[in-house]
Amino acid sequence: MQTNPTHASLVTVGDSFTEGMSDLLPDGSYRGWADLLAARMAARSPGFRYANLAVRGKLIGQIVDEQVDVAAAMGADVITLVGGLNDTLRPKCDMARVRDLLTQAVERLAPNCEQLVLMRSPGRQGPVLERFRPRMEALFAIIDDLSRQHGAVVVDLYGADSLADPRLWDVDRLHLTADGHRRVAEAVWQSLGYEPEDPEWHAPIPATPPPGWLMRRTADVRFARQYLLPWIGRRLTGRSSGDGLPPKRPELLPYEDLA
């Protein structure tokens, strides 16, 4: 890996994680790790261009159908691909199909960029992670195998103690906070060979007093009402939170035009 490289363009492909939920800006839009990474890269490279094709809720088949060919045609220096985790959270998940689709995506993207970046997605500590851990780790094994075959960089967010901490996850328990996204941007930045700005991004967060019983139960009720029940409803009706939404930043344009 080149040390302190200069890249002229970045294209990101994926779902809500790459779109930037829940790093909410005052105007109601989302920022997220990909925007933060693009800003850093742009500061090193005049004329830097950036596109973010991610749309929340997308399964790996939708990512392949709707984003991969578009990203490949852009010919960016760096392409990031994060997908498949939404599939593992479905009641029924065909991991063989997930492998085939991820393979298609990597085989299409890797020859059309200087560096393809894959990720082992972070997992929040708790019962949900334990329930889906076998599928997630099967997904990560696929990603590791594809990276070896195609020379992709793998960013291991799953193994980072900090990103497993519930304090870095939003109230929906599915998406990272602003600080969580900052740490992901740092992880990708370092994986691309840039000099660290936060060498301890992955380190455990200092302990704080745990919330009391009443606060925990209130948070559980809020989570169930605002997030869990609507999520179950979408699963039962075959809908997605991203239905009808366009890509976040569909064109590869100079970063300053999109900031």
Side-chain angles (χ1 to χ4, degrees):
M1 179 63 64
Q2 181 183 357
T3 302
N4 290 325
T6 299
H7 297 107
S9 53
L10 168 69
V11 174
T12 60
V13 173
D15 51 32
S16 60
F17 175 70
T18 301
E19 185 183 344
M21 296 173 72
S22 290
D23 185 6
L24 192 64
L25 295 172
D27 65 1
S29 64
Y30 293 108
R31 182 177 53 181
W33 67 264
D35 285 10
L36 293 169
L37 177 66
R40 287 194 190 185
M41 296 171 75
R44 294 284 190 97
S45 178
F48 180 84
R49 296 177 300 151
Y50 169 51
N52 188 326
L53 305 180
V55 178
R56 68 195 71 171
K58 294 300 183 181
L59 302 172
I60 186 59
Q62 295 169 311
I63 291 171
V64 170
D65 290 344
E66 301 166 14
Q67 299 178 33
V68 166
D69 282 347
V70 177
M74 290 178 173
D77 287 356
V78 177
I79 297 178
T80 70
L81 167 64
V82 187
L85 193 62
N86 283 335
D87 297 77
T88 69
L89 298 177
R90 295 297 177 102
K92 295 181 180 179
C93 176
D94 183 346
M95 290 304 298
R97 182 172 184 272
V98 170
R99 172 185 281 277
D100 290 345
L101 289 166
L102 275 170
T103 300
Q104 290 179 36
V106 170
E107 288 179 346
R108 184 76 175 96
L109 294 173
N112 288 286
C113 63
E114 291 185 9
Q115 184 62 65
L116 178 63
V117 177
L118 308 176
M119 299 188 201
R120 295 161 59 94
S121 301
R124 180 185 186 274
Q125 291 174 351
V128 174
L129 174 62
E130 294 310 313
R131 178 181 178 184
F132 293 101
R133 188 187 295 276
R135 286 184 185 174
M136 291 175 62
E137 293 186 348
L139 174 66
F140 300 152
I142 295 169
I143 289 168
D144 290 345
D145 186 45
L146 289 171
S147 72
R148 287 189 292 269
Q149 294 180 42
H150 297 276
V153 169
V154 176
V155 183
D156 184 14
L157 306 174
Y158 180 68
D161 290 333
S162 61
L163 294 179
D165 193 312
R167 290 172 292 176
L168 286 188
W169 293 74
D170 193 49
V171 293
D172 67 1
R173 305 182 184 180
L174 288 173
H175 300 105
L176 293 169
T177 63
D179 188 35
H181 280 282
R182 179 194 64 79
R183 290 168 187 262
V184 173
E186 177 68 30
V188 182
W189 174 260
Q190 292 184 26
S191 295
L192 287 171
Y194 293 99
E195 183 176 353
E197 295 185 13
D198 177 11
E200 301 300 319
W201 69 267
H202 50 78
I205 301 173
T208 57
W213 181 89
L214 180 59
M215 185 177 292
R216 295 198 306 272
R217 296 294 78 77
T218 300
D220 288 342
V221 171
R222 179 186 177 191
F223 163 70
R225 182 177 64 250
Q226 293 186 226
Y227 301 103
L228 180 60
L229 293 178
W231 184 84
I232 292 173
R234 290 194 297 272
R235 298 292 80 75
L236 293 175
T237 57
R239 294 178 292 117
S240 167
S241 58
D243 287 348
L245 294 180
K248 183 176 183 178
R249 294 180 173 179
E251 298 181 74
L252 186 61
L253 296 173
Y255 177 80
E256 58 266 22
D257 293 347
L258 299 168

